[in-house]
Amino acid sequence: GESVGLHLPTLSVQEGDNSIINCAYSNSASDYFIWYKQESGKGPQFIIDIRSNMDKRQGQRVTVLLNKTVKHLSLQIAATQPGDSAVYFCAENRWRGNNRLAFGKGNQVVVIP
Amino acid sequence: DAGVIQSPRHEVTEMGQEVTLRCKPISGHDYLFWYRQTMMRGLELLIYFNNNVPIDDSGMPEDRFSAKMPNASFSTLKIQPSEPRDSAVYFCASSFISSREVRETQYFGPGTRLLVL
């Protein structure tokens, strides 16, 4: 059987520090991006989204930055808390006219108390 | 708001048995998505519906998998016969497009953890 699993990039961060999670996308036509958080044993939860006509969007303790020139998306979490420990996925809408999303592989964030 | 509801939350079955997973999307949402998540392949889109009509089922692994959406508030994903390699977490998600604002945000259910022995 298969024994090699998906090795997610892991970010270990001290509680109280800021976290930055990065995501590269490949389709320059993508016009909508979302960050999801998935805690162990749960479904992905919406965190924040951004449209391609924006460079930055802020939420509560989170900021999403979009660099269309290099097709890069990042999620910044301020004052990281233990409850922020999770896998974070970026997703993009590549298909105009429908709601389909393409998901990245995910980034594991581990908060050290 | 109850969110997306999935049942059962856990399912253990034996190889060869039929498995039916159920999903109730958020009321008013007109898109419904079925995903499978495994350690090997991450989150994979299996099929999605718009206004109860299947739009793209290219992600469905093989003929053993089928999905239906008989009405706007209910969908099923069926595996018959099930195999050990079908063991995964299956998520349902829903979203909508409003007349004033296009919102592609998908809201996920808690998932069904399937183990096929």
Side-chain angles (χ1 to χ4, degrees), chain B residues 46-112:
Chain B
L46 300 177
I47 184 172
Y48 74 98
F49 297 81
N50 179 217
N51 292 321
N52 314 337
V53 176
I55 303 300
D56 186 345
D57 65 354
S58 59
M60 297 285 260
E62 45 197 277
D63 292 345
R64 297 185 296 107
F65 286 68
S66 63
K68 294 182 180 179
M69 192 165 186
N71 57 62
S73 59
F74 184 67
S75 177
T76 59
L77 178 67
K78 186 175 293 187
I79 308 173
Q80 167 63 21
S82 58
E83 297 182 3
R85 61 193 167 121
D86 301 330
S87 297
V89 181
Y90 291 81
F91 289 105
C92 176
S94 70
S95 68
F96 73 99
I97 294 180
S98 74
S99 58
R100 289 187 296 171
E101 178 187 356
V102 175
R103 287 267 301 179
E104 299 95 322
T105 306
Q106 294 180 18
Y107 296 88
F108 283 75
T112 295

Side-chain angles (χ1 to χ4, degrees), chain A residues 75-113:
Chain A
L75 178 70
Q76 299 178 357
I77 305 173
T80 311
Q81 302 170 358
D84 296 328
S85 293
V87 176
Y88 290 80
F89 294 94
C90 64
E92 61 183 299
N93 182 306
R94 298 176 182 169
W95 299 271
R96 291 183 185 275
N98 70 57
N99 280 11
R100 183 173 178 176
L101 295 174
F103 284 83
K105 296 298 184 186
N107 291 267
Q108 176 89 50
V109 172
V110 177
V111 180
I112 304 166

